[in-house]
Amino acid sequence: MSSQNKMAEFEPRIVAFLCNWCSYRGADLAGTSRFHYPPNVRIIRVMCSGSVDPVYVLEALVHGADGVLIGGCHLGECHYQKGNYKAMRRVEMLKAILHQVGIDGDRVWLRWISASEGGIFRDTVAQMVTEIRKKGPNNMRKR
Amino acid sequence: MERRIGVYICHCGLNIAATVDVKEVTESAASLRGVQIARDYMFMCSDPGQDLILSDIKEYRLNRVVVASCSPLLHERTFRRVCREAGINPYLFEMANIREHCSWVHDDGATEKAKGLVRAAVMKVYYDEPLEPMEVPIVPNTLIVGGGIAGIQAALNIANAGYKVYLVEREPSIGGHMIQLDKTFPTLDCSACILTPKMSDVGSHPNIELLTYSEIDEVSGYIGNFKVKIKKKSKYVDESKCTGCGLCFQGCPVIMKNEFDLGLADRKAIYIPFPQAVPNIAVIDKREKRPCEAACVDACPIHTNVLGYIRLIAEGRYKEAYGLIRDTNPLPAVCGRVCYAPCEEACDRGQIDESIAIRNLKRFATDQVNIDELEVPQITKTGKRVAIIGSGPAGLAAANDLALEGHEVTIFEALPEPGGMLRYAIPEYRLPKEILLKEIDYIRRLGVEIRTGVQVGQDISLAEVKRDHQAVFIATGAHGGIRLGVEGEDIAGVIEGIRFLRAVNIGEKISVGKKVAVIGGGNTAIDCARTAKRIGGEDVRVVYRRSRDEMPVSSVEVAEMEKEGVKIDFLTMPKHFLSENEGLSGMECIRMKLGEPDDSGRPRPVPIKGSEFTMPVDTVIDALGQVPETEFVQELGLSLGKMGTIEIDHKTGATNIEEVFAGGDVVTGPASVIEAIGAGKRIACSISRYLRGEPLEVEEEELGEEKLSKRDIKDLQNRFPTQKRVEIGEEPIEERVGDFREVTLGYTPSEAVTEALRCLAGQMEGCIECHECERRCDAKAIDYEMKDEIVDVEVGSIILATGYQQIDPSVIPQYGYGRYDNVITGLEFERLSDAAGPTEGQIQLKNGQPPNSVAIIHCVGSRDKNFHEYCSRVCCMFALKFAYLIKEKTKAEVYQMYIDMRCFGEGHEEFYERLSTEEDVKFIRGKPSQVTDRALTEEEKGKLIVTVEDTLLGSLIRVPVDMVILCNALEPTADAENVARLFSISRRADGFFMERHVKLDPISTMNDGIFIAGCCEGPKDITDSVAQAKAAASEVLSLLTRGKVEIEPIVASVNDEFCSGCGLCEKMCPYGALSLAEPEGVMVVNQALCKGCGSCAVICPSEAISVSHFTRLQILGQVEALAS
């Protein structure tokens, strides 16, 4: 019972890297549309999902983030042609590495969210918060 | 340098302050590293807010600023400007987005999150470095995509300002949807009347380069410097030569649905979409390669457009088929009966199953017209006189063509009636005289004088003829019969074949005995034998010295003859004739065998010694062949060849005497009708050139013999199932041999269409490459070999005005579109109502009757969760306009079935008021549930019944009407997604293009330098489209006036100390901006090419590359602030 309470109290911290052209604007649209979602996500604007260095994700996890969301344009719609493909490959590799060092790779989400998909941004955050909450705190968090 | 940071937290009225405790956020910010001052204020973006920052910068000697307010996409520029004014580099400024990403989307936890976002922004600004914006010049050209009203207006505005515009339109003409509309609401201006002047302005504007039938292939570059590849689809018509005269499509045999009239009318495969098209240039709609080689056309001596007229027959356009044949062939009804049809032999279908019955189809087409009723074209006279000697097929063909050229033609004919061999040799059962005479009469009506009974060389000398005319064409044929040269040939009862046929043809009394032998194996022999059968010959035999395989005649002819009871004695030759009582009693024959091939390539018949026998006969007809009778030309000294033929230059038809030409059988010896016609036509052409003083010789295109490969044939057999040719009907044998009635009956229309549909070219969509247009085009603009072309242009800005499409209402089955003829779309109604449309403006049902009642259903596919949730914005008004037009043109009752009436523009409400009061239009508020033809009452029978809940009455009603007009939704074009990708712009959830900011930055997109106007941004009326177009033009002109543009200095740079020159970054860069510098061995960035995506920085193993304003330190600073 007490452990369940503890789980309910756990508020995961999620860092989101959103690309300037699609996902960041999708998050803006969620705002102008007043779509409510859990406040656990903190957004960092980057130019392209393909510019997200795996080190950024690792650093976020090391510094205590419980989950990392990377948002890019839909495949084929990248402002820089193929940046999101690069992100896709890199995230797959990163997940494998995380697994090796004992971190659940599913703490890192890569999603395609266009500028018109405010609703999808809201749903993605809500879903991610639920999922990460189930996983519990990230054990890499600096103690 | 010391960081002195000012942090400003905006309340945004209550937008932020209602959920975020701004005081608490301010306090927390004040304690952050480097922060000198933290304040909160009601509206940071207002003037007092900006002043606050300015004065703080001075007072606290700030060198970095953070504002926590709305999205940086909204006000980053504002605050950067403030910083710059205060002397701070604008890149030492950061925004924390605590409105869109925080206060508007959270309740609990918003304050904590806002603190975090501010912390991150302070961290970022702490590590920010000063940057200088890059200034680039703007290429002074503009690309506009889409030639509807928006594209046209924008192009004119920019071009009128003196700048170059490339206007790209996918269709063959500009005009877009607006040119399809009849009237425009609410002023009822004629749409074409107000649009076409603008269209022609575009067409003739020196600053506008119009690229129609073109699409964008590739876009690269950035604001001020876009590079665009435009794919110009091949029109197969040279735009620089085409005059838009329309002769080409008059001749085109391929009928297709006219897209401009939404398929309510037809067009040809070569077409100009509508009369006011800009550019007024034809396009060939070529969709697939023809499955056959059209060998029929090549095989025909006059290259008749066989596939063209067969296609027309298949389409049921018989008169047009006749016209097409008549254009090349002056004797189509004759050829439809007696041509030996080399086309059929060549026909590629023959290699699949059986060749097309081309001759029968030609005859069918000619049977469908009354030649006497054909109109004679207007001909401009040249005043030149041409004499033709002989009125056979060669003479008539030449006369026809020369008369059409405007020359004065006189034919001299020795015999009492014109027609030559057609009249005097071919028996009536194959070619009724009446038909021949009709065709000759038509040639007379073209102005040709035929002087019969005048034998040149006897009644008038050739020299005289030559003196009175500027050119002479000798086409006297080959009428001299060849005799066997054996003993007894002068016995009565031995008749020369051609004389025999002539006698029968002119009705002279001539009789044959019971036993008749015809000597020879050619067409004349067969004609003689079948004629002899008809005038009393009982035992008629053809005596031929070779075998069946060597007979120079079609097997069908032989079979017909044999069916009529004529026997053939092969390998038999008469030696001499025997007489008894001064009459013929028999002939002695000898049997032959086949030996070595002779000069003609056929095996030489060799007599078998001792095989002589006597054949009892009453009549013998010599039908060995004919030779020309050319004694009369000797007075002019024309050179003659063997057998008395006239020698000519075969390329031109000229004889050795100037002004004198010759052709047909008189040159070649006996040949076919179509070859004689061909000679006549070629020489007519030479004579025309001669009379114009042009060189006679022209380069003739060599027709390569393209044969289908075995593989092609196999493919064709798989594609086209075997279908035998339709046999032509014949008179019963027992009856027909008793008289001279025509043996073949001709096809019925259904037989003809079935047969015509077998033609492989008839199975194609689009152009069948019959080259009819090419033949007709005086400007020589047709080019079948034309290829698609890529045009590269450089432009500074781009306006997208790609428009919309309308939802296909058949996806809403309950409204019956596609099932009921009289359920139509709004655009279809526009075409019906348009005076230039398919019904010339008559509003009518499919049966041609005017409607007595019309229901107009609003919101079909819009404001509907199943299709489009948005309002299409124009339907209420065009529905009112429709009601007005229906009331104006018919007496019909009109019902408007609407959800809400939205009449918000200038004069719109007044128009609504007028319609609902003065015009007696019935308004029913409710969305119809169904359109059906199932009548429940007598009154509903034969009507379309619209069931609708009248929500004002609160009851379900049934409205029986004759016509239903669906106001179908405007939706994004099918390729809007591709266009958005191509130009790197975003689309809204509804699929239309997204503006940078819906309120404050319309027209602009997220991609700087690319603007949008018209319905590609969302449904709107013409007024709004034009306004947007002008706005887009003004954005472009504002850039052009500045001449240069600042672009964000977000680019990569390489730290030489760490770079090992490994080149990984080079592979990652999509723009080729990185290269290895030698001899330093380090990478360098070409900053003009770099767009700052950061791919290189991620891959660099030594972290030597960083992207300004998004450096590792700057990002990790934020990560630390937000994660911990």
PDB file of all heavy atoms in Angstrom, chain B residues 390-418:
ATOM      1  N   GLY B 390      -6.942  12.758-119.271  1.00  0.00           N
ATOM      2  CA  GLY B 390      -7.371  11.488-118.699  1.00  0.00           C
ATOM      3  C   GLY B 390      -8.099  11.720-117.383  1.00  0.00           C
ATOM      4  O   GLY B 390      -7.627  12.466-116.531  1.00  0.00           O
ATOM      5  N   SER B 391      -9.277  11.076-117.266  1.00  0.00           N
ATOM      6  CA  SER B 391     -10.066  11.310-116.052  1.00  0.00           C
ATOM      7  C   SER B 391     -10.178  10.041-115.219  1.00  0.00           C
ATOM      8  O   SER B 391     -11.171   9.789-114.575  1.00  0.00           O
ATOM      9  CB  SER B 391     -11.445  11.823-116.417  1.00  0.00           C
ATOM     10  OG  SER B 391     -12.139  10.807-117.134  1.00  0.00           O
ATOM     11  N   GLY B 392      -9.131   9.241-115.251  1.00  0.00           N
ATOM     12  CA  GLY B 392      -9.086   8.077-114.361  1.00  0.00           C
ATOM     13  C   GLY B 392      -8.713   8.522-112.970  1.00  0.00           C
ATOM     14  O   GLY B 392      -8.659   9.718-112.677  1.00  0.00           O
ATOM     15  N   PRO B 393      -8.438   7.562-112.080  1.00  0.00           N
ATOM     16  CA  PRO B 393      -8.133   7.916-110.694  1.00  0.00           C
ATOM     17  C   PRO B 393      -6.957   8.884-110.556  1.00  0.00           C
ATOM     18  O   PRO B 393      -7.018   9.793-109.727  1.00  0.00           O
ATOM     19  CB  PRO B 393      -7.838   6.570-110.023  1.00  0.00           C
ATOM     20  CG  PRO B 393      -7.773   5.551-111.120  1.00  0.00           C
ATOM     21  CD  PRO B 393      -8.508   6.109-112.283  1.00  0.00           C
ATOM     22  N   ALA B 394      -5.924   8.744-111.379  1.00  0.00           N
ATOM     23  CA  ALA B 394      -4.775   9.651-111.262  1.00  0.00           C
ATOM     24  C   ALA B 394      -5.186  11.056-111.638  1.00  0.00           C
ATOM     25  O   ALA B 394      -4.913  12.026-110.922  1.00  0.00           O
ATOM     26  CB  ALA B 394      -3.622   9.174-112.147  1.00  0.00           C
ATOM     27  N   GLY B 395      -5.893  11.185-112.768  1.00  0.00           N
ATOM     28  CA  GLY B 395      -6.323  12.493-113.235  1.00  0.00           C
ATOM     29  C   GLY B 395      -7.278  13.152-112.257  1.00  0.00           C
ATOM     30  O   GLY B 395      -7.152  14.340-111.947  1.00  0.00           O
ATOM     31  N   LEU B 396      -8.241  12.371-111.760  1.00  0.00           N
ATOM     32  CA  LEU B 396      -9.229  12.933-110.845  1.00  0.00           C
ATOM     33  C   LEU B 396      -8.580  13.373-109.538  1.00  0.00           C
ATOM     34  O   LEU B 396      -8.895  14.432-108.995  1.00  0.00           O
ATOM     35  CB  LEU B 396     -10.324  11.898-110.549  1.00  0.00           C
ATOM     36  CG  LEU B 396     -11.291  11.608-111.708  1.00  0.00           C
ATOM     37  CD1 LEU B 396     -12.194  10.433-111.356  1.00  0.00           C
ATOM     38  CD2 LEU B 396     -12.139  12.843-112.036  1.00  0.00           C
ATOM     39  N   ALA B 397      -7.659  12.547-109.026  1.00  0.00           N
ATOM     40  CA  ALA B 397      -7.000  12.882-107.767  1.00  0.00           C
ATOM     41  C   ALA B 397      -6.208  14.175-107.921  1.00  0.00           C
ATOM     42  O   ALA B 397      -6.276  15.070-107.062  1.00  0.00           O
ATOM     43  CB  ALA B 397      -6.078  11.747-107.332  1.00  0.00           C
ATOM     44  N   ALA B 398      -5.496  14.289-109.040  1.00  0.00           N
ATOM     45  CA  ALA B 398      -4.707  15.502-109.268  1.00  0.00           C
ATOM     46  C   ALA B 398      -5.635  16.696-109.415  1.00  0.00           C
ATOM     47  O   ALA B 398      -5.389  17.773-108.850  1.00  0.00           O
ATOM     48  CB  ALA B 398      -3.837  15.336-110.499  1.00  0.00           C
ATOM     49  N   ALA B 399      -6.740  16.493-110.140  1.00  0.00           N
ATOM     50  CA  ALA B 399      -7.683  17.585-110.355  1.00  0.00           C
ATOM     51  C   ALA B 399      -8.236  18.078-109.025  1.00  0.00           C
ATOM     52  O   ALA B 399      -8.323  19.279-108.763  1.00  0.00           O
ATOM     53  CB  ALA B 399      -8.817  17.108-111.256  1.00  0.00           C
ATOM     54  N   ASN B 400      -8.593  17.127-108.184  1.00  0.00           N
ATOM     55  CA  ASN B 400      -9.138  17.456-106.865  1.00  0.00           C
ATOM     56  C   ASN B 400      -8.163  18.338-106.082  1.00  0.00           C
ATOM     57  O   ASN B 400      -8.516  19.407-105.584  1.00  0.00           O
ATOM     58  CB  ASN B 400      -9.390  16.148-106.119  1.00  0.00           C
ATOM     59  CG  ASN B 400      -9.928  16.346-104.719  1.00  0.00           C
ATOM     60  OD1 ASN B 400     -11.108  16.615-104.562  1.00  0.00           O
ATOM     61  ND2 ASN B 400      -9.065  16.229-103.720  1.00  0.00           N
ATOM     62  N   ASP B 401      -6.924  17.884-105.976  1.00  0.00           N
ATOM     63  CA  ASP B 401      -5.949  18.606-105.148  1.00  0.00           C
ATOM     64  C   ASP B 401      -5.593  19.959-105.753  1.00  0.00           C
ATOM     65  O   ASP B 401      -5.457  20.945-105.046  1.00  0.00           O
ATOM     66  CB  ASP B 401      -4.682  17.756-104.962  1.00  0.00           C
ATOM     67  CG  ASP B 401      -4.942  16.566-104.045  1.00  0.00           C
ATOM     68  OD1 ASP B 401      -6.129  16.320-103.732  1.00  0.00           O
ATOM     69  OD2 ASP B 401      -3.970  15.885-103.654  1.00  0.00           O
ATOM     70  N   LEU B 402      -5.480  20.001-107.070  1.00  0.00           N
ATOM     71  CA  LEU B 402      -5.123  21.258-107.732  1.00  0.00           C
ATOM     72  C   LEU B 402      -6.266  22.265-107.614  1.00  0.00           C
ATOM     73  O   LEU B 402      -6.038  23.458-107.394  1.00  0.00           O
ATOM     74  CB  LEU B 402      -4.774  21.013-109.205  1.00  0.00           C
ATOM     75  CG  LEU B 402      -3.433  20.289-109.423  1.00  0.00           C
ATOM     76  CD1 LEU B 402      -3.330  19.768-110.852  1.00  0.00           C
ATOM     77  CD2 LEU B 402      -2.264  21.220-109.121  1.00  0.00           C
ATOM     78  N   ALA B 403      -7.502  21.759-107.726  1.00  0.00           N
ATOM     79  CA  ALA B 403      -8.648  22.659-107.598  1.00  0.00           C
ATOM     80  C   ALA B 403      -8.705  23.238-106.189  1.00  0.00           C
ATOM     81  O   ALA B 403      -8.999  24.417-106.004  1.00  0.00           O
ATOM     82  CB  ALA B 403      -9.934  21.905-107.919  1.00  0.00           C
ATOM     83  N   LEU B 404      -8.419  22.391-105.191  1.00  0.00           N
ATOM     84  CA  LEU B 404      -8.435  22.878-103.806  1.00  0.00           C
ATOM     85  C   LEU B 404      -7.347  23.921-103.578  1.00  0.00           C
ATOM     86  O   LEU B 404      -7.483  24.791-102.722  1.00  0.00           O
ATOM     87  CB  LEU B 404      -8.271  21.707-102.823  1.00  0.00           C
ATOM     88  CG  LEU B 404      -9.513  20.816-102.659  1.00  0.00           C
ATOM     89  CD1 LEU B 404      -9.170  19.565-101.860  1.00  0.00           C
ATOM     90  CD2 LEU B 404     -10.666  21.566-102.002  1.00  0.00           C
ATOM     91  N   GLU B 405      -6.272  23.829-104.360  1.00  0.00           N
ATOM     92  CA  GLU B 405      -5.208  24.835-104.274  1.00  0.00           C
ATOM     93  C   GLU B 405      -5.616  26.143-104.932  1.00  0.00           C
ATOM     94  O   GLU B 405      -4.930  27.153-104.802  1.00  0.00           O
ATOM     95  CB  GLU B 405      -3.945  24.319-104.975  1.00  0.00           C
ATOM     96  CG  GLU B 405      -3.237  23.218-104.226  1.00  0.00           C
ATOM     97  CD  GLU B 405      -2.270  23.754-103.192  1.00  0.00           C
ATOM     98  OE1 GLU B 405      -1.602  24.766-103.481  1.00  0.00           O
ATOM     99  OE2 GLU B 405      -2.207  23.175-102.087  1.00  0.00           O
ATOM    100  N   GLY B 406      -6.713  26.092-105.695  1.00  0.00           N
ATOM    101  CA  GLY B 406      -7.204  27.305-106.326  1.00  0.00           C
ATOM    102  C   GLY B 406      -6.871  27.409-107.806  1.00  0.00           C
ATOM    103  O   GLY B 406      -7.133  28.432-108.434  1.00  0.00           O
ATOM    104  N   HIS B 407      -6.292  26.350-108.369  1.00  0.00           N
ATOM    105  CA  HIS B 407      -5.964  26.408-109.796  1.00  0.00           C
ATOM    106  C   HIS B 407      -7.193  26.059-110.631  1.00  0.00           C
ATOM    107  O   HIS B 407      -8.087  25.345-110.186  1.00  0.00           O
ATOM    108  CB  HIS B 407      -4.819  25.444-110.123  1.00  0.00           C
ATOM    109  CG  HIS B 407      -3.602  25.661-109.285  1.00  0.00           C
ATOM    110  ND1 HIS B 407      -3.019  26.894-109.145  1.00  0.00           N
ATOM    111  CD2 HIS B 407      -2.874  24.811-108.503  1.00  0.00           C
ATOM    112  CE1 HIS B 407      -1.967  26.790-108.328  1.00  0.00           C
ATOM    113  NE2 HIS B 407      -1.873  25.548-107.918  1.00  0.00           N
ATOM    114  N   GLU B 408      -7.187  26.568-111.854  1.00  0.00           N
ATOM    115  CA  GLU B 408      -8.299  26.289-112.753  1.00  0.00           C
ATOM    116  C   GLU B 408      -7.942  25.018-113.523  1.00  0.00           C
ATOM    117  O   GLU B 408      -6.962  25.004-114.276  1.00  0.00           O
ATOM    118  CB  GLU B 408      -8.444  27.463-113.711  1.00  0.00           C
ATOM    119  CG  GLU B 408      -9.805  27.566-114.342  1.00  0.00           C
ATOM    120  CD  GLU B 408      -9.858  28.811-115.214  1.00  0.00           C
ATOM    121  OE1 GLU B 408      -9.583  29.924-114.693  1.00  0.00           O
ATOM    122  OE2 GLU B 408     -10.141  28.654-116.408  1.00  0.00           O
ATOM    123  N   VAL B 409      -8.717  23.967-113.327  1.00  0.00           N
ATOM    124  CA  VAL B 409      -8.340  22.661-113.880  1.00  0.00           C
ATOM    125  C   VAL B 409      -9.321  22.246-114.967  1.00  0.00           C
ATOM    126  O   VAL B 409     -10.531  22.326-114.783  1.00  0.00           O
ATOM    127  CB  VAL B 409      -8.319  21.586-112.766  1.00  0.00           C
ATOM    128  CG1 VAL B 409      -7.888  20.233-113.338  1.00  0.00           C
ATOM    129  CG2 VAL B 409      -7.404  22.003-111.633  1.00  0.00           C
ATOM    130  N   THR B 410      -8.778  21.812-116.114  1.00  0.00           N
ATOM    131  CA  THR B 410      -9.609  21.230-117.169  1.00  0.00           C
ATOM    132  C   THR B 410      -9.102  19.820-117.435  1.00  0.00           C
ATOM    133  O   THR B 410      -7.905  19.615-117.624  1.00  0.00           O
ATOM    134  CB  THR B 410      -9.482  22.049-118.467  1.00  0.00           C
ATOM    135  OG1 THR B 410      -9.729  23.411-118.147  1.00  0.00           O
ATOM    136  CG2 THR B 410     -10.488  21.568-119.514  1.00  0.00           C
ATOM    137  N   ILE B 411     -10.052  18.877-117.415  1.00  0.00           N
ATOM    138  CA  ILE B 411      -9.672  17.495-117.743  1.00  0.00           C
ATOM    139  C   ILE B 411     -10.150  17.198-119.158  1.00  0.00           C
ATOM    140  O   ILE B 411     -11.300  17.486-119.502  1.00  0.00           O
ATOM    141  CB  ILE B 411     -10.300  16.485-116.760  1.00  0.00           C
ATOM    142  CG1 ILE B 411      -9.877  16.784-115.314  1.00  0.00           C
ATOM    143  CG2 ILE B 411      -9.916  15.060-117.135  1.00  0.00           C
ATOM    144  CD1 ILE B 411     -10.434  15.807-114.288  1.00  0.00           C
ATOM    145  N   PHE B 412      -9.267  16.649-119.972  1.00  0.00           N
ATOM    146  CA  PHE B 412      -9.637  16.197-121.312  1.00  0.00           C
ATOM    147  C   PHE B 412      -9.806  14.692-121.273  1.00  0.00           C
ATOM    148  O   PHE B 412      -8.882  13.970-120.893  1.00  0.00           O
ATOM    149  CB  PHE B 412      -8.544  16.574-122.326  1.00  0.00           C
ATOM    150  CG  PHE B 412      -8.390  18.068-122.466  1.00  0.00           C
ATOM    151  CD1 PHE B 412      -7.496  18.775-121.670  1.00  0.00           C
ATOM    152  CD2 PHE B 412      -9.152  18.780-123.401  1.00  0.00           C
ATOM    153  CE1 PHE B 412      -7.353  20.140-121.789  1.00  0.00           C
ATOM    154  CE2 PHE B 412      -9.013  20.158-123.523  1.00  0.00           C
ATOM    155  CZ  PHE B 412      -8.109  20.846-122.716  1.00  0.00           C
ATOM    156  N   GLU B 413     -11.001  14.226-121.619  1.00  0.00           N
ATOM    157  CA  GLU B 413     -11.292  12.794-121.552  1.00  0.00           C
ATOM    158  C   GLU B 413     -11.733  12.328-122.933  1.00  0.00           C
ATOM    159  O   GLU B 413     -12.677  12.881-123.505  1.00  0.00           O
ATOM    160  CB  GLU B 413     -12.381  12.533-120.514  1.00  0.00           C
ATOM    161  CG  GLU B 413     -12.925  11.107-120.483  1.00  0.00           C
ATOM    162  CD  GLU B 413     -11.851  10.043-120.286  1.00  0.00           C
ATOM    163  OE1 GLU B 413     -11.087  10.139-119.315  1.00  0.00           O
ATOM    164  OE2 GLU B 413     -11.751   9.129-121.148  1.00  0.00           O
ATOM    165  N   ALA B 414     -11.076  11.319-123.468  1.00  0.00           N
ATOM    166  CA  ALA B 414     -11.379  10.840-124.816  1.00  0.00           C
ATOM    167  C   ALA B 414     -12.722  10.131-124.873  1.00  0.00           C
ATOM    168  O   ALA B 414     -13.472  10.258-125.841  1.00  0.00           O
ATOM    169  CB  ALA B 414     -10.267   9.913-125.285  1.00  0.00           C
ATOM    170  N   LEU B 415     -13.041   9.407-123.782  1.00  0.00           N
ATOM    171  CA  LEU B 415     -14.268   8.607-123.784  1.00  0.00           C
ATOM    172  C   LEU B 415     -15.462   9.490-123.419  1.00  0.00           C
ATOM    173  O   LEU B 415     -15.299  10.596-122.906  1.00  0.00           O
ATOM    174  CB  LEU B 415     -14.108   7.439-122.800  1.00  0.00           C
ATOM    175  CG  LEU B 415     -13.082   6.387-123.271  1.00  0.00           C
ATOM    176  CD1 LEU B 415     -12.711   5.455-122.140  1.00  0.00           C
ATOM    177  CD2 LEU B 415     -13.620   5.620-124.471  1.00  0.00           C
ATOM    178  N   PRO B 416     -16.665   9.002-123.680  1.00  0.00           N
ATOM    179  CA  PRO B 416     -17.847   9.840-123.465  1.00  0.00           C
ATOM    180  C   PRO B 416     -18.117  10.170-121.994  1.00  0.00           C
ATOM    181  O   PRO B 416     -18.793  11.139-121.693  1.00  0.00           O
ATOM    182  CB  PRO B 416     -19.006   9.003-124.021  1.00  0.00           C
ATOM    183  CG  PRO B 416     -18.420   7.818-124.658  1.00  0.00           C
ATOM    184  CD  PRO B 416     -16.989   7.704-124.312  1.00  0.00           C
ATOM    185  N   GLU B 417     -17.609   9.324-121.108  1.00  0.00           N
ATOM    186  CA  GLU B 417     -17.865   9.616-119.693  1.00  0.00           C
ATOM    187  C   GLU B 417     -16.559   9.583-118.912  1.00  0.00           C
ATOM    188  O   GLU B 417     -15.630   8.873-119.276  1.00  0.00           O
ATOM    189  CB  GLU B 417     -18.848   8.588-119.113  1.00  0.00           C
ATOM    190  CG  GLU B 417     -20.285   8.875-119.508  1.00  0.00           C
ATOM    191  CD  GLU B 417     -21.256   7.920-118.848  1.00  0.00           C
ATOM    192  OE1 GLU B 417     -21.176   7.757-117.608  1.00  0.00           O
ATOM    193  OE2 GLU B 417     -22.079   7.326-119.573  1.00  0.00           O
ATOM    194  N   PRO B 418     -16.478  10.354-117.829  1.00  0.00           N
ATOM    195  CA  PRO B 418     -15.244  10.375-117.045  1.00  0.00           C
ATOM    196  C   PRO B 418     -15.126   9.150-116.144  1.00  0.00           C
ATOM    197  O   PRO B 418     -16.107   8.470-115.889  1.00  0.00           O
ATOM    198  CB  PRO B 418     -15.383  11.645-116.206  1.00  0.00           C
ATOM    199  CG  PRO B 418     -16.861  11.807-116.013  1.00  0.00           C
ATOM    200  CD  PRO B 418     -17.507  11.266-117.265  1.00  0.00           C
TER     201      PRO B 418
END
